[in-house]
Amino acid sequence: MNDLYNYSNPFSGVNAVQLDIDSILDYWCNPFMYDLYSEIKEADIYSDVMNIVFMGGRSTGKSMFLRYWSYPVQFKNAKNNNQKLSKSIADKNGIGFYFRIDGPILRSFQGKGISEETWSSIFIHYFELIIGREYFEAVNCLYEEGEIQDNEMNEIFLPKILALIGINNQISLQELIDDFDRRIREIDLYRGNVAFFKEPFKPEDRGFQSQMLSFGIPEIIISSLEVFHGKNIILLLDEFENFVNYQQTVINTLLRFSKPNIKFRLGMRLEGFRTYQMMADEDFIKEGREYRKVVFEEVINKNRGYHQFLIEICKKRLESIPLLKSKGFTDIQKILSDKEDLEQEAIEIARGQPDKIINFFNKKLSKVEISKIRSDNPLMEALNCLWLLRGVSIDTVQKSMNDYLNNVKSPDALKYSRDYVDKYKLSLLILTCSIYRKNKQYYSFNTFSFLSSGIVGHFIELCRRSFAIAGWGDNETLLNDGIISKEHQSKAARDFSLAEKQQISRIETYGGLIAKFVDNMGNLFRDFHLDIKIRYPETNQFAINIDSISDLQLKEAMKSAIKWSVIQRKPGMQRTAPSENLQDTYTLNRIFSPIFQISYRTRGGKSIRLSEKSLIMFMHDDKVDSSKYLNEEKKGLENKPKKPGDSLDLFSV
Amino acid sequence: MKKTIYHMELLNDTSMGLQVLDYLILSSGSDTRACEVLKKYASQGIVIKTVVIINYRERLLDSKYTDNIFSYKSYSSFNTKEIECDIKDPSSSLQGLLDIEFKPESIIGVDISYLTKPHLFFILKLLKQRFLIRKLIVFYTEPKTYLFTKGLFDTFKTSSGPLSISEIQGFSGQRERGAKTILIILLGFDGGLSKEINEDVSPNQTFVINGFPSYSPKFKDISLITNEKLVSDKNISVRYSRANSPFEIYNLLQEIKSLEKNVFINIAPLGTKPMALGACLFALHNPEVRIIYPLPDTYESKYTDLSWNTWQYVLPMN
């Protein structure tokens, strides 16, 4: 019995930046095995001669990915496999150095009455020192392991390094590392006190210019140390979006002038570049020339590889809890159930009030007529009402349903099947929930995968909350049967959805505008979902050409929404109507679906077209009048076919 | 080793504990708490040679002369010096404060009830580092209630709009190579903030300190519930300390520091002002400690209401 209360949530608190090296290796799931990124292969990490930018929202696994390729993790992996460290470098064809400078430090290099030009010099000096120290630590590690010989170190490598740095006396590598510590401390002290004294920075020793150490040291490493001959030096720089504008220009310049054997792998949010400018004002970097891009966040996850990847990640976490491992509860698909059962959900909602759907659609039907469209399945009953509303005769409705249910291969049955199974089932359930004033439930592995919007961290958080709620609500079922009820899952999804929505206003830039936009857009989608005629089922995307927005504030707000994965761009461009131009199409992050009670699926079809004028309303008005948009669509439909089963060409997925 | 830095006193209606001050530094504000101490001094007829008013430009912008924010002007018996500064940039008050030329032996009171935390930290460090002040008398008036706009658990915010998590000016700390990063969050009600800070700092270990006993019994639960995600994380340790005692916080921080060597301590003072005051003292005595705070675009003009107890703390600054 004690076991029930003595286990920790397997999905709690695993932030890649915080993990120790052993945990990185324990939790690592190689995304290349799941075919997640078509743009890149594993060998490119160390060998691609182009800089690579890894873009994705928060919790998409960028930090885990970048840290994994860094030398401390690879060295530990080699040791675990009784391999020499130099063999690891040889096998990988290079060595990786991971850097993350936290936001508060980066932001401290500005303001306080000091000019940006001065801060820029201080930051460059700091950045070069931080990178230089990391190089030295890696070399020292190999030296201590006996994989760099004394003569190589003392007669070749160190003299060149000391000359580069401008140190005249002979000191050891460890002493050099200590010296770099001192120089870094000097900057920290200055950052701490400048607000009180507002004096210029005067380092005890020389200041370093850009590239001096970041490129200068690797060149010496590669040329002087045998283990690095012909190998690549990879700088894995994380959270680049936190770098302030001028700091990005410093790194952009390094991207432009990176050497053949020294390349960057940057991790950042989508739209994480604040600027493409370089330190020389007139110059800028460009995708395809200075870097190539790999996107970690993919709103459409039709790829089964993503599902398998999630299962594997969860398995490692579930196995980390001895109790769950011993009971064999390590398959998240079984714990959450594979897919939701829409029909069962509808039956439970309608239980005890069977007439509500028919009453809602049409109160004037006779008892005989009602009996013809009755079904034990509320969703079919709702579809029958929808067909009636669209002008189909009651006898045709009855025949179509019966043919479908009796597996008769008639054209009516085919149309019925197409509408029920392929097109409207989820829409009918959402409408039914609205009629009964109940919340749609969001549960199952498949649903959580969709809700996660390609962001692994979202899936993990949905699981964490499900486990936490089940832990309180029904621990015994969880630990005896390895199942979490759909009610508990659904509560987890709603809570997380609400929490994410509340966080929007906290976004550093334009949070208020984005929060209003999401509110208005979510409610508009909701109104489309409640359309009694379900003219545009599961409408949950919009089209806009962000680059053509002339109002800078609106444009930047939209970019910030992308950066924080509040909205996600669908691959490829679409038309909102046959006569319209191709435009980029966006969805709200699916995690907001539970709070707005809308579809979590990614389908083609209807997009709300947003002009700049309407965007102003969506970002500034407390409530946008949805009738305008619904009526616009209604007009557009007047010339469209109205027969049941006729496709409205909405779902050219 | 624990430091004894105490004198903590509840000022009653007759305010017997008040003493003559050379300076009283306070911030104007629309809540009655902002001038509670000034009111006590005026009603007792006790001398303050100069009252230094910190006026945040952003709050003055839309204020009429009759607004509560200017209620300090009604205490006309005091010589007043007003310093206008940016709410987001504490160092913008530097020149105004330097002009005063405080002496190390000056008897200085600071009413922290309405000072923002970054300004509170800045002023205390300035008084210690540049003016070599040896002792401070700090006042704090508790709010009678906090304003929860839509419900207890999700809606409390002391700031509005976007946030930028930053080091408080003067408290950058110093991280030694290889040091384990520890984050200590003095818990407030705004759960989103602590989660953001934890992610931004990404420490190896996080301690959260909940105010207990709190001003009101329910407050300690609200802060835990709103911080549920953070508190349930694997590497989180929850501790308790009295919400109105800077000295308990100080000692608790000292205790956490002594748990391990070679740690880089980050403190996020999201909880009550007295807790923040304790953190400030601790950081002044341990300059390697970093203070992290989510600097908002602006603060809510009013997030508490009415006055409750007023506390007086006497702090040794050396």
Side-chain angles (χ1 to χ4, degrees), chain A residues 267-324:
Chain A
M268 70 171 85
R269 300 272 174 89
L270 291 159
E271 302 290 342
F273 276 113
R274 293 171 193 261
T275 177
Y276 294 96
Q277 278 195 322
M278 295 165 50
M279 286 160 73
D281 277 347
E282 67 281 4
D283 218 348
F284 60 90
I285 57 165
K286 193 177 169 189
E287 185 181 347
R289 190 176 63 192
E290 274 76 33
Y291 67 93
R292 69 185 178 108
K293 190 168 82 178
V294 175
V295 177
F296 265 44
E297 178 184 324
E298 181 60 85
V299 64
I300 296 176
N301 48 56
K302 281 187 287 189
N303 181 355
R304 287 299 296 176
Y306 178 64
H307 287 202
Q308 290 305 317
F309 186 52
L310 292 177
I311 290 169
E312 189 59 27
I313 286 171
C314 293
K315 189 178 173 197
K316 292 206 170 193
R317 287 171 177 255
L318 291 162
E319 282 179 344
S320 73
I321 308 297
L323 179 63
L324 298 175

Side-chain angles (χ1 to χ4, degrees), chain A residues 8-15 17-19 27 58-59 100 102-105 107-108 112-113 133 137 174 177-178 181 184-186 188-189 191-198 239 242 269 317 320-321 461 464-465 468 496 498 500 502-503 505-512 564, chain B residues 89 91-92 94 98 121-123 125-127 129-130 154-178 190-193 195-196 198-206 228-230 232-235 264 266 290 292 296-297:
Chain A
S8 56
N9 191 324
F11 295 94
S12 280
V14 182
N15 175 343
V17 178
Q18 297 164 291
L19 288 179
Y27 285 121
R58 174 191 290 189
S59 307
R100 174 186 178 270
D102 73 26
I105 290 183
R107 286 186 278 275
S108 73
K112 306 172 190 90
R133 184 174 67 178
E137 289 211 69
Q174 186 55 56
I177 292 170
D178 293 341
D181 283 344
I184 291 166
R185 266 201 304 274
E186 198 175 36
D188 288 338
L189 199 63
R191 289 190 300 114
N193 286 329
V194 65
F196 300 91
F197 297 97
K198 306 210 169 180
E239 298 187 7
N242 282 338
R269 300 272 174 89
R317 287 171 177 255
S320 73
I321 308 297
E461 178 60 9
R464 186 196 72 79
R465 286 178 184 259
F496 184 37
L498 180 64
E500 282 294 295
Q502 285 174 339
Q503 281 301 100
S505 61
R506 291 299 198 195
I507 292 173
E508 189 182 337
T509 49
Y510 308 110
W564 287 85
Chain B
D89 179 11
S91 76
S92 60
L94 180 65
L98 289 179
F121 277 71
F122 181 82
I123 289 171
K125 180 160 182 179
L126 184 76
L127 292 173
Q129 189 163 320
R130 288 214 60 172
D154 294 319
T155 58
F156 180 80
K157 286 179 174 52
T158 56
S159 57
S160 55
L163 292 164
S164 162
I165 296 167
S166 303
E167 295 171 357
I168 287 187
Q169 288 178 8
F171 294 84
S172 292
Q174 284 193 347
R175 184 179 191 275
E176 296 296 324
R177 177 169 42 88
D190 195 338
L193 284 185
K195 188 168 147 264
E196 285 282 322
N198 197 49
E199 282 183 15
D200 218 356
V201 175
S202 292
N204 300 98
Q205 191 178 7
T206 304
E228 178 270 333
K229 171 164 171 27
L230 181 71
S232 65
D233 267 3
K234 275 180 183 161
N235 64 344
F264 175 45
N266 293 255
R290 179 165 77 151
I292 301 288
D297 241 18

Side-chain angles (χ1 to χ4, degrees), chain A residues 337-483:
Chain A
S337 78
D338 184 21
K339 287 187 173 164
E340 57 186 350
D341 185 340
L342 301 180
E343 279 143 0
Q344 184 58 33
E345 193 179 338
I347 288 166
E348 285 167 15
I349 285 169
R351 188 167 290 149
Q353 294 178 288
D355 299 329
K356 238 180 159 173
I357 293 173
I358 289 174
N359 288 344
F360 177 79
F361 275 92
N362 194 336
K363 297 183 171 94
K364 294 174 187 166
L365 292 175
S366 68
K367 278 188 180 172
V368 176
E369 287 172 324
I370 288 174
S371 70
K372 288 182 177 179
I373 59 165
R374 270 272 183 229
S375 168
D376 293 338
N377 177 349
L379 299 183
M380 282 191 181
E381 206 165 272
L383 180 63
N384 296 344
C385 291
L386 180 67
W387 275 27
L388 287 183
L389 198 65
R390 290 181 172 184
V392 184
S393 76
I394 205 157
D395 290 330
T396 306
V397 173
Q398 184 188 26
K399 180 178 181 303
S400 303
M401 177 175 69
N402 288 338
D403 282 0
Y404 168 72
L405 288 173
N406 296 322
N407 286 325
V408 176
K409 305 283 181 202
S410 69
D412 290 334
L414 187 64
K415 284 175 187 172
Y416 198 90
S417 165
R418 205 184 298 153
D419 270 13
Y420 180 64
V421 180
D422 301 337
K423 287 169 64 177
Y424 293 130
K425 197 191 270 188
L426 181 56
S427 299
L428 289 166
L429 178 59
I430 291 173
L431 195 57
T432 302
C433 288
S434 159
I435 293 168
Y436 282 89
R437 297 185 182 280
K438 296 265 174 70
N439 278 327
K440 159 91 187 79
Q441 293 191 324
Y442 293 79
Y443 66 96
S444 82
F445 172 79
N446 185 58
T447 306
F448 278 13
S449 303
F450 274 108
L451 290 178
S452 72
S453 301
I455 299 171
V456 174
H458 277 185
F459 186 85
I460 289 171
E461 178 60 9
L462 286 163
C463 293
R464 186 196 72 79
R465 286 178 184 259
S466 297
F467 267 77
I469 293 168
W472 283 104
D474 192 5
N475 210 12
E476 295 193 14
T477 305
L478 171 59
L479 296 179
N480 290 332
D481 305 332
I483 289 168

Side-chain angles (χ1 to χ4, degrees), chain B residues 30-284:
Chain B
S30 50
D31 194 336
T32 53
R33 291 193 302 141
C35 287
E36 188 63 27
V37 172
L38 201 55
K39 189 172 127 191
K40 280 186 176 9
Y41 266 91
S43 66
Q44 296 283 307
I46 300 172
V47 172
I48 305 172
K49 287 179 188 160
T50 304
V51 177
V52 181
I53 308 287
I54 304 291
N55 274 328
Y56 301 123
R57 247 173 237 129
E58 294 83 345
R59 286 185 179 161
L60 298 181
L61 279 178
D62 300 319
S63 303
K64 294 176 200 149
Y65 190 75
T66 51
D67 284 353
N68 269 350
I69 196 165
F70 296 113
S71 55
Y72 64 88
K73 288 182 185 288
S74 60
Y75 302 98
S76 52
S77 57
F78 298 115
N79 172 40
T80 305
K81 176 179 169 58
E82 296 178 44
I83 298 175
E84 206 172 296
C85 59
D86 296 336
I87 201 164
K88 288 169 77 174
D89 179 11
S91 76
S92 60
S93 66
L94 180 65
Q95 197 52 55
L97 290 163
L98 289 179
D99 289 346
I100 295 175
E101 296 180 348
F102 301 104
K103 301 281 182 296
E105 62 280 5
S106 300
I107 302 171
I108 302 174
V110 183
D111 183 351
I112 63 173
S113 308
Y114 236 73
L115 274 176
T116 67
K117 286 171 192 162
H119 280 263
L120 153 67
F121 277 71
F122 181 82
I123 289 171
L124 260 60
K125 180 160 182 179
L126 184 76
L127 292 173
K128 176 181 162 63
Q129 189 163 320
R130 288 214 60 172
F131 294 106
L132 310 174
I133 300 298
R134 292 193 278 265
K135 186 177 85 171
L136 269 187
I137 299 163
V138 175
F139 301 98
Y140 177 67
T141 305
E142 294 171 356
K144 198 157 194 174
T145 183
Y146 289 88
L147 300 178
F148 296 87
T149 49
K150 289 177 189 163
L152 280 184
F153 299 120
D154 294 319
T155 58
F156 180 80
K157 286 179 174 52
T158 56
S159 57
S160 55
L163 292 164
S164 162
I165 296 167
S166 303
E167 295 171 357
I168 287 187
Q169 288 178 8
F171 294 84
S172 292
Q174 284 193 347
R175 184 179 191 275
E176 296 296 324
R177 177 169 42 88
K180 178 178 169 183
T181 300
I182 285 180
L183 173 64
I184 304 171
I185 301 176
L186 312 186
L187 223 49
F189 297 146
D190 195 338
L193 284 185
S194 50
K195 188 168 147 264
E196 285 282 322
I197 291 175
N198 197 49
E199 282 183 15
D200 218 356
V201 175
S202 292
N204 300 98
Q205 191 178 7
T206 304
F207 292 86
V208 297
I209 301 181
N210 196 13
F212 177 74
S214 45
Y215 298 153
S216 164
K218 67 185 174 194
F219 289 168
K220 72 174 193 315
D221 301 323
I222 296 171
S223 48
L224 281 180
I225 290 167
T226 52
N227 288 281
E228 178 270 333
K229 171 164 171 27
L230 181 71
V231 170
S232 65
D233 267 3
K234 275 180 183 161
N235 64 344
I236 305 285
S237 173
V238 182
R239 304 292 181 95
Y240 293 89
S241 178
R242 267 172 76 189
N244 61 9
S245 171
F247 310 113
E248 274 198 22
I249 279 287
Y250 186 101
N251 287 336
L252 183 54
L253 292 171
Q254 192 70 31
E255 188 185 314
I256 292 171
K257 186 190 170 199
S258 66
L259 291 176
E260 273 184 82
K261 286 194 174 129
N262 199 18
V263 288
F264 175 45
I265 295 178
N266 293 255
I267 303 174
L270 306 182
T272 65
K273 284 273 175 63
M275 291 167 87
L277 180 63
C280 181
L281 275 177
F282 181 74
L284 286 173

